[in-house]
């Protein structure tokens, strides 16, 4: 396994083994807003979550679709943290795309207690909508003490997923 393959595997493991991400959007005055959301993904590039269109982060996405995401294990011991940082463009899924996108978003289950929503639950008068973020870049967090990739200082390294 090459060092690059090792980082790709690390990124995939983080995305596959965690269910919450921190979604970063921009407020109208430019201040950042971060929100934890339960997510699923398809092929590491398409990230999905369900939210109310009246939530602050949803309104921010409607006006400013550029978002930043981070997926990480908050229980990792100091110096052993792993994270994936993702830049993406996000939007609410259009009603016409809901059947295909719901199938993609909820095909892997999602874990104990997760709901696999159907299109009828995310359209019309429903209180929730399906959101989609298409990744434009991925980076992995490298702890400074990492025995293979560490430099003494925590860094980020780009990966192609």
């Amino acid at each position: 396994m090459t060092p690059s393959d090792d980082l790709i595997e690390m990124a995939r493991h983080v995305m596959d083994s965690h269910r919450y991400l921190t979604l970063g959007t921009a407020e109208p005055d430019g201040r950042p807003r971060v929100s934890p959301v339960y997510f699923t993904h398809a092929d590491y590039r398409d990230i999905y979550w369900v939210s109310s269109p009246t939530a602050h982060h949803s309104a921010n996405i409607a006006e400013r679709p550029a978002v930043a995401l981070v997926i990480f294990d908050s229980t990792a011991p100091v110096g052993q943290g792993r994270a994936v940082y993702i830049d993406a463009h996000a939007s609410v899924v259009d009603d016409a795309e809901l059947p295909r996108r719901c199938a993609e978003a909820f095909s892997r289950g999602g874990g104990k207690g997760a709901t696999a929503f159907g299109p009828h639950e995310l359209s019309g008068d429903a209180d929730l909508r399906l959101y989609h973020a298409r990744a434009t870049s991925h980076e992995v967090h490298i702890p400074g003490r990492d025995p293979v990739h560490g430099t003494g200082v925590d860094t980020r390294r780009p990966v192609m997923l």
Side-chain angles (χ1 to χ4, degrees):
M1 181 178 286
T2 69
S4 176
D5 291 339
D6 182 41
L7 296 178
I8 290 168
E9 185 58 35
M10 178 194 317
R12 289 179 176 165
H13 175 75
V14 168
M15 290 183 73
D16 288 340
S17 58
H18 298 92
R19 298 290 26 117
Y20 286 92
L21 61 78
T22 302
L23 167 66
T25 62
E27 293 282 9
D29 64 3
R31 287 179 304 119
R33 179 174 194 88
V34 292
S35 307
V37 297
Y38 185 91
F39 80 99
T40 64
H41 72 85
D43 296 324
Y44 306 100
R45 289 185 314 263
D46 294 297
I47 295 97
Y48 294 97
W49 66 94
V50 173
S51 285
S52 167
T54 62
H56 284 281
H57 60 266
S58 299
N60 288 345
I61 288 168
E63 294 297 318
R64 291 163 299 284
V67 299
L69 316 169
V70 64
I71 304 162
F72 66 100
D73 179 0
S74 66
T75 66
V78 173
Q80 296 179 26
R82 299 284 187 250
V84 177
Y85 302 91
I86 303 169
D87 287 330
H89 288 92
S91 63
V92 66
V93 173
D94 182 80
D95 286 354
E97 288 189 54
L98 274 173
R100 179 176 72 84
R101 294 292 187 168
C102 281
E104 186 173 79
F106 306 119
S107 67
R108 296 172 32 156
K112 187 176 182 177
T115 300
F117 290 92
H120 66 283
E121 297 172 289
L122 300 170
S123 61
D125 292 336
D127 293 331
L128 300 172
R129 295 291 183 266
L130 181 63
Y131 284 80
H132 169 252
R134 177 70 174 189
T136 57
S137 69
H138 294 80
E139 295 177 304
V140 292
H141 172 83
I142 307 295
R145 296 184 234 177
D146 185 280
V148 175
H149 305 285
T151 62
V153 177
D154 290 4
T155 58
R156 292 186 190 188
R157 299 257 179 93
V159 293
M160 297 293 292
L161 298 183

